[in-house]
Amino acid sequence: MREASLPKLSQARQELRRQQILQAAMRCFVRNGMGRTSVADITAESGLSAGSIYTHFASKAEIVQATAQDLLERRLTALAGFVGEARLPSPAQLLRHLADGISRDEARVGLQAWGEATTDPVMCGNVVATTDGMRDAIAAHCEVWLVAVKGHEASVARSRAAGLAAQLMAVYQGLIVRKALFGTTDAADETFIADAADRFA
């Protein structure tokens, strides 16, 4: 007698389940940390069965990597959306938007992901690739801004944009650390952001 086959989830339903798992993992990582969170914790938090969890992820390491990747990609999407909607924001406005757009919980998990990246080659590759993508997107915007607003020649703007993007990424990462630890940024950061954005302009 043939066993009845289980109905396959649609692609949309699979993605919803996957996001449900990642959101549950985020809550566990915020509450307990990545190191102290088990697959059983994530299973209980998600309300799904262990089988459902392992249908989407083969191990806790895969969940950790996917959670970090999802977080980083959402930051990159937010950056692209802001640049597309705003009327040529300055580099300082761009950085402020990014800093304001990340919650303390996201910052705390992001900081944990950076820690994991120091010992996990796969995590390191994901973090580096997405961070490089964000820096490149910032550089592309800064190049347009330097030509349109500051009147630089394209070749000069391209060179200065690369330096400015590296500076802005360093400040942004510092702001994530501050938000993760203290829950907010302070007034001194506003001056720091403006100085960093103007240095190469």
Side-chain angles (χ1 to χ4, degrees):
M1 180 177 175
R2 294 179 59 185
E3 293 184 5
S5 59
L6 294 174
K8 292 184 177 180
L9 294 174
S10 68
Q11 187 172 352
R13 185 68 175 165
Q14 286 181 9
E15 181 58 26
L16 283 174
R17 285 279 177 85
R18 184 176 181 279
Q19 286 302 315
Q20 185 178 350
I21 295 165
L22 295 182
Q23 289 165 13
M26 273 282 293
R27 294 192 295 272
C28 289
F29 296 156
V30 168
R31 189 167 59 242
N32 305 320
M34 288 180 173
R36 291 190 298 274
T37 295
S38 66
V39 174
D41 294 329
I42 297 169
T43 301
E45 183 73 24
S46 70
L48 299 173
S49 67
S52 183
I53 299 291
Y54 283 111
T55 295
H56 293 84
F57 300 99
S59 64
K60 175 189 164 182
E62 282 194 7
I63 298 175
V64 168
Q65 291 158 7
T67 302
Q69 185 70 13
D70 185 66
L71 181 60
L72 290 165
E73 287 178 354
R74 279 191 277 125
R75 292 294 87 216
L76 192 55
T77 299
L79 170 63
F82 182 68
V83 168
E85 294 175 6
R87 182 173 293 179
L88 202 59
S90 70
Q93 290 171 325
L94 193 66
L95 184 59
R96 172 49 58 197
H97 172 76
L98 287 171
D100 288 345
I102 189 166
S103 70
R104 186 182 189 184
D105 284 351
E106 289 174 326
R108 290 171 68 186
V109 173
L111 202 55
Q112 292 177 53
W114 292 346
E116 290 288 322
T118 63
T119 56
D120 182 337
V122 175
M123 178 74 85
C124 183
N126 290 341
V127 170
V128 169
T130 310
T131 302
D132 285 351
M134 180 173 285
R135 188 193 61 240
D136 291 346
I138 291 173
H141 173 76
C142 288
E143 183 178 341
V144 173
W145 181 81
L146 287 167
V147 171
V149 177
K150 295 295 185 177
H152 291 305
E153 295 293 330
S155 59
V156 174
R158 188 172 304 111
S159 174
R160 293 193 176 186
L164 179 53
Q167 185 97 339
L168 293 174
M169 278 300 298
V171 176
Y172 174 59
Q173 289 169 328
L175 293 175
I176 289 176
V177 173
R178 178 183 288 278
K179 184 167 280 192
L181 297 179
F182 306 113
T184 186
T185 56
D186 61 29
D189 293 323
E190 298 289 346
T191 301
F192 191 38
I193 289 171
D195 288 346
D198 289 340
R199 187 164 299 176
F200 288 91

